[in-house]
Amino acid sequence: MIIGICHNSIKLSNPSLSCQREREKMEKFIMSGFILLVVLFTTELGLASAAWLRAHATFYGGSDASGTMGGACGYGNLNTDGYGIKTAALSTVLFNDGKSCGGCYTIVCDANQVPQWCLRGTSITITATNFCPPNYALPNDNGGWCNPPRPHFDMSQPAFETIAKYKAGIVPIFYRRVGCKRSGGIRFSINGRDYFELVLISNVGGGGEISRVWIKGSKMNKWESMTRNWGANWQSLRYLNGQSLSFKVQLSNGKTRTAINAAPSNWRFGQSFIPNVQF
């Protein structure tokens, strides 16, 4: 509530209307100031610079976020893979065929539009871990929230309740791309079979979004490009059994890290390895 901006000493032709306008101006000013503080805070942390954009947010997965595990990025247990419960499923335009998996976004509820539902002064940084599919049977503005071309975040319930009230269901938001902060090294989980190594790459810091991956067995003379199979899963069609495996990972911002001998020569399908390498 904004108080103290209208005074009896000010002569107004319509005091009630003028006071309301002044309150609205002050609320917009305070919201702008809050966004500026968030911008300065993220800049101070050295996070990626990006513009604030508008979208909407809903939630799924239950109060404990158990229903958010797995998903279209290929992550399994989000706690094990380094993402926890601060996650969201992205609409088609944001998901970008899985290229946005692992990316981070700071989200603020737009209190100017829905002051009754937003928790003022709050924000949250989430990781993209899933895809929110379109529902063409419903209008874009009435149930088809993830239909193209809408930017939309279907957040885990605990993440949503950090910025808005549960009863809101859906709220307008401001969002921006930011850098990701992770604990520990990048995680390489090797699945598949002989001549088909399917590697899930998770717990990626920095820009978060992987754009290219290379693999090199200890018996290989040069790096070989891997291809995105789906989400954060990358594949190689070589026979690499009995070789220690090194990986080179490039993010969408162009930064690259190399994990030499990330997996020892006696690795097996179904195992995960976490070298001391991070963005």
Side-chain angles (χ1 to χ4, degrees):
M1 178 181 294
I2 307 300
I3 59 174
I5 61 172
C6 291
H7 305 279
N8 293 332
S9 59
I10 301 177
K11 296 181 179 181
L12 303 172
S13 59
N14 188 336
S16 177
L17 179 59
S18 298
C19 284
Q20 179 62 31
R21 287 175 176 171
E22 289 299 323
R23 290 190 184 97
E24 290 176 353
K25 289 180 181 179
M26 183 62 72
E27 287 179 350
K28 290 181 180 179
F29 175 77
I30 290 175
M31 186 61 189
S32 299
F34 171 71
I35 292 176
L36 177 60
L37 286 175
V38 175
V39 171
L40 292 175
F41 178 68
T42 54
T43 302
E44 183 67 23
L45 289 178
L47 304 180
S49 177
W52 285 99
L53 302 171
R54 292 182 179 272
H56 284 79
T58 49
F59 62 87
Y60 78 115
S63 59
D64 61 355
S66 59
T68 65
M69 300 297 153
C73 286
Y75 306 124
N77 184 320
L78 296 177
N79 297 309
T80 302
D81 286 331
Y83 303 120
I85 61 175
K86 297 179 180 180
T87 62
L90 308 189
S91 62
T92 302
V93 67
L94 293 175
F95 190 68
N96 194 20
D97 294 325
K99 296 181 180 66
S100 295
C101 288
C104 293
Y105 300 80
T106 292
I107 296 176
V108 179
C109 187
D110 187 354
N112 282 335
Q113 293 194 52
V114 288
Q116 73 275 28
W117 297 127
C118 293
L119 299 180
R120 290 180 178 273
T122 63
S123 67
I124 189 170
T125 297
I126 57 90
T127 302
T129 59
N130 204 354
F131 173 54
C132 181
N135 184 351
Y136 296 113
L138 296 175
N140 288 13
D141 59 352
N142 188 18
W145 309 123
C146 291
N147 292 353
R150 289 179 62 100
H152 189 89
F153 294 82
D154 198 16
M155 305 169 67
S156 72
Q157 184 177 326
F160 181 89
E161 290 186 287
T162 300
I163 61 168
K165 298 176 182 178
Y166 173 87
K167 289 185 177 180
I170 179 171
V171 292
I173 62 167
F174 293 101
Y175 75 94
R176 61 175 287 173
R177 281 277 290 115
V178 296
C180 303
K181 284 185 163 294
R182 305 294 181 214
S183 176
I186 301 170
R187 182 184 178 94
F188 298 89
S189 300
I190 307 174
N191 299 294
R193 60 183 185 275
D194 294 353
Y195 295 99
F196 178 63
E197 292 78 22
L198 187 65
V199 182
L200 171 65
I201 306 176
S202 59
N203 197 45
V204 179
E209 300 176 349
I210 300 172
S211 61
R212 296 187 68 184
V213 180
W214 295 264
I215 191 170
K216 185 177 182 295
S218 53
K219 298 178 182 178
M220 296 169 57
N221 294 321
K222 60 181 181 179
W223 291 94
E224 183 175 282
S225 293
M226 302 182 76
T227 56
R228 189 190 303 273
N229 186 287
W230 63 285
N233 285 282
W234 294 77
Q235 71 178 41
S236 169
L237 301 180
R238 273 187 173 269
Y239 183 80
L240 297 172
N241 299 47
Q243 302 183 57
S244 59
L245 303 179
S246 299
F247 298 94
K248 185 160 56 175
V249 178
Q250 184 178 84
L251 304 185
S252 57
N253 60 13
K255 293 185 179 181
T256 303
R257 293 290 185 273
T258 302
I260 300 297
N261 298 327
S265 58
N266 62 346
W267 63 268
R268 295 290 181 268
F269 292 107
Q271 291 182 319
S272 297
F273 303 92
I274 307 176
N276 188 27
V277 174
Q278 187 57 271
F279 287 90

